Amino acid sequence: MSLSYGQFCPVAITSEILCTRWTTLVVRELMCGSTRFNQIRRGVPLMSPSLLSKRLTELSDHGVVQIKHVKGNMVEYHLSTAGRELIPIIESFGTWGKRWFNSEVNLNKLDALLLMWDIHRLIKPEGISLESCVVEFNFPELSSKKRRHWMVISQNDVNYCIVDPGLDTDLLITSSVRGLTSIHMGYSNFEDEVNQGSLVIRGNPQLAKAMSQWLGRSPFAGVTQQTPQLNYG
């Protein structure tokens, strides 16, 4: 049973539903278009499958998530009308966090898998002139098993692969996880990272030139940081 604050206040009631560990991130993943269990897991890689299952069930019990059975035993998860009303609330969480927390706080919490999963769903195929292409990302500081990632991009789809798809690479992007995260979150830009030597781009010149158009950044990238004004009385 979820913890109850024992208060009739709507803030307390909402907090009982949303403020359990991982719950807002599960809602975030559903907001971003994940509908299958394994898709949601890729957005919360440190969350155990059993806890994710529990949170989805709780959200369904509260009417925030609709569970749909498709193609036999396959299950999809979708935000209900009540769940979709949470979208601006979760977006406000992200805006507040980007605005008021120093970039060093965020850039010390690096996760290559989450970064690449986020990048994959923000890539804009319409910004690419080729019918299809393969973009490889290489993080030299990681172990050999975690170093290479691929995006197989067509005009209608973007597939993220952590295993070599066996296709020729059109563009190779070599970066530190920190450098690419910094670009993704709007703390720096492509030119900054290239000039500092933390981003190297090799391959198709058309793809490289249009990179800022098709490699979508976080929706919070444009939020301007501010420094909290401390008042000691």
Side-chain angles (χ1 to χ4, degrees):
M1 179 180 295
S2 299
L3 175 67
S4 173
Y5 293 110
Q7 296 186 2
F8 60 82
C9 172
V11 174
I13 294 169
T14 303
S15 297
E16 289 174 5
I17 298 171
L18 292 183
C19 293
T20 52
R21 185 168 173 80
W22 293 104
T23 300
T24 52
L25 299 190
V26 173
V27 175
R28 179 199 68 189
E29 290 308 301
L30 294 167
M31 281 171 45
C32 292
S34 295
T35 59
R36 303 286 174 83
F37 189 87
N38 285 336
Q39 289 177 333
I40 299 169
R41 276 204 70 200
R42 293 186 81 169
V44 284
L46 299 182
M47 187 180 188
S48 71
S50 60
L51 183 55
L52 174 56
S53 180
K54 180 182 179 183
R55 291 290 183 260
L56 287 167
T57 299
E58 290 170 349
L59 288 169
S60 175
D61 290 343
H62 288 299
V64 175
V65 167
Q66 292 177 328
I67 300 177
K68 297 183 179 180
H69 295 272
V70 295
K71 297 181 180 179
N73 295 324
M74 193 170 292
V75 172
E76 288 186 350
Y77 302 90
H78 298 267
L79 290 175
S80 65
T81 301
R84 290 192 296 275
E85 197 168 315
L86 290 171
I87 291 175
I89 297 172
I90 303 300
E91 289 175 341
S92 295
F93 273 31
T95 298
W96 184 86
K98 175 70 187 303
R99 177 172 290 132
W100 293 108
F101 280 85
N102 186 284
S103 61
E104 289 303 313
V105 174
N106 296 327
L107 291 177
N108 283 332
K109 299 178 180 180
L110 300 175
D111 185 330
L113 288 174
L114 178 58
L115 172 64
M116 297 311 300
W117 181 245
D118 213 22
I119 285 175
H120 124 272
R121 57 190 173 196
L122 292 169
I123 283 176
K124 303 170 184 176
E126 64 273 15
I128 296 175
S129 59
L130 304 175
E131 287 189 10
S132 63
C133 63
V134 177
V135 179
E136 179 182 342
F137 294 81
N138 185 21
F139 301 112
E141 77 269 30
L142 299 184
S143 66
S144 58
K145 291 183 179 180
K146 298 180 180 180
R147 183 176 301 159
R148 302 170 71 196
H149 305 254
W150 294 264
M151 302 290 175
V152 182
I153 307 169
S154 68
Q155 291 300 307
N156 301 314
D157 199 16
V158 178
N159 288 308
Y160 167 36
C161 306
I162 56 175
V163 176
D164 190 341
L167 301 170
D168 291 337
T169 294
D170 296 288
L171 193 70
L172 173 62
I173 299 171
T174 302
S175 172
S176 64
V177 178
R178 183 186 177 91
L180 194 58
T181 302
S182 181
I183 293 171
H184 182 64
M185 291 305 302
Y187 298 122
S188 63
N189 56 44
F190 294 104
E191 291 77 14
D192 292 338
E193 299 299 329
V194 169
N195 291 337
Q196 293 170 15
S198 59
L199 179 71
V200 178
I201 307 168
R202 291 194 176 93
N204 186 291
Q206 286 181 304
L207 273 179
K209 186 176 181 180
M211 193 167 160
S212 60
Q213 300 173 30
W214 57 263
L215 189 64
R217 297 193 301 169
S218 164
F220 306 111
V223 177
T224 302
Q225 282 193 290
Q226 296 186 36
T227 302
Q229 299 298 314
L230 302 179
N231 186 349
Y232 295 102

